[in-house]
Amino acid sequence: MGNPNKTVTGHKGGIITISMVEADDAQREKRRLQLHEPYRTLLGHFRHEVGHYYWDQLIQNDDRINAFRQLFGDERDDYHQALKQHYERGAPEDWQQRFVSAYASSHPWEDWAETWALYLQMTDALETAAACGLSLRPRRPDEPSLQPDAYGTPLKPFDRMMDDWFPLTYALTNLNRSLGLPDGYPFVLSTTAIDKLRFVHEAIAKQARAQR
């Protein structure tokens, strides 16, 4: 188990812990480079660990478990061995064609948690844009437009969320580049990654409808 007094980022039995050493910009950047991660934040860690918790709540004992395994893989595969292999060999060369991040390729549980974290990032950003009344009305017809919309509910169509996400990240990335900052959204989503995001969306929507 390692040093019992050392707090690491993780989830166990509904308890989420976050290593606050990564609140130090230098330490977080060091780890980001060591692990070859284009995007690493404390909030992102929290969203990821929340994903592990909600896998237990929404998928583990649900009739969607077989659909999960077809899309994400079989979570019954040895978790610790899978992580060991990932850290020794790295992600497969084609990981971008199937996963939202390199780490997601390590095990189906991590694939779910990484996809969940990205889904929360997307919905939070879209909600914030809507709350600010953000709209994009480009002068050029080949650039994406965006109308302010209170997206913030899983009961709205997933395809609408994706339609809004692309123009928002397009503007965010261009704004960051104009300020000399890294891309605000340094990812390209494959068809398979989008299917996994849709699965997360539908799992949340199913629970939301059941509680109405």
Side-chain angles (χ1 to χ4, degrees):
M1 295 295 290
N3 184 349
N5 296 317
K6 182 180 179 181
T7 300
V8 297
T9 298
H11 164 264
K12 184 176 182 180
I15 302 297
I16 293 172
T17 56
I18 301 293
S19 175
M20 294 306 294
V21 69
E22 291 206 40
D24 181 282
D25 292 343
Q27 285 293 326
R28 186 173 62 256
E29 180 65 7
K30 179 181 178 181
R31 296 185 185 193
R32 187 187 71 79
L33 293 174
Q34 286 176 340
L35 297 172
H36 307 289
E37 296 180 352
Y39 187 81
R40 188 179 180 94
T41 66
L42 283 179
L43 181 56
H45 284 328
F46 183 71
R47 288 169 173 155
H48 175 100
E49 300 306 333
V50 166
H52 285 301
Y53 170 77
Y54 274 101
W55 189 88
D56 293 344
Q57 303 302 309
L58 300 178
I59 305 300
Q60 184 176 27
N61 298 311
D62 189 78
D63 56 11
R64 295 178 60 83
I65 186 65
N66 289 329
F68 169 87
R69 288 169 180 161
Q70 290 178 3
L71 187 57
F72 291 83
D74 195 332
E75 84 289 350
R76 293 170 295 187
D77 291 345
D78 190 301
Y79 176 73
H80 296 290
Q81 181 61 34
L83 288 188
K84 181 176 182 292
Q85 180 173 308
H86 173 77
Y87 286 120
E88 289 177 351
R89 303 180 184 178
E93 291 185 0
D94 66 343
W95 70 263
Q96 290 178 312
Q97 299 177 24
R98 295 178 287 142
F99 304 95
V100 300
S101 72
Y103 185 58
S105 69
S106 62
H107 187 273
W109 278 336
E110 299 302 342
D111 192 6
W112 163 271
E114 287 285 272
T115 304
W116 176 280
L118 176 56
Y119 180 83
L120 291 192
Q121 180 192 48
M122 294 168 69
T123 53
D124 282 355
L126 287 167
E127 288 175 7
T128 301
C132 292
L134 178 67
S135 63
L136 299 176
R137 293 175 290 178
R139 295 179 179 179
R140 288 169 37 185
D142 60 334
E143 292 189 325
S145 62
L146 175 67
Q147 299 300 320
D149 176 49
Y151 171 74
T153 168
L155 296 180
K156 284 197 174 183
F158 174 79
D159 290 334
R160 173 60 191 276
M161 183 184 81
M162 295 305 302
D163 288 343
D164 288 344
W165 182 240
F166 172 68
L168 180 61
T169 56
Y170 175 83
L172 178 62
T173 293
N174 283 329
L175 284 169
N176 274 27
R177 288 178 179 179
S178 71
L179 296 171
L181 299 173
D183 287 357
Y185 183 72
F187 305 99
V188 176
L189 295 176
S190 67
T191 300
T192 302
I194 292 173
D195 288 341
K196 291 175 180 179
L197 286 165
R198 186 188 300 276
F199 184 93
V200 170
H201 175 87
E202 291 174 352
I204 296 172
K206 176 183 177 181
Q207 185 67 20
R209 285 191 295 267
Q211 293 179 346
R212 293 184 72 180

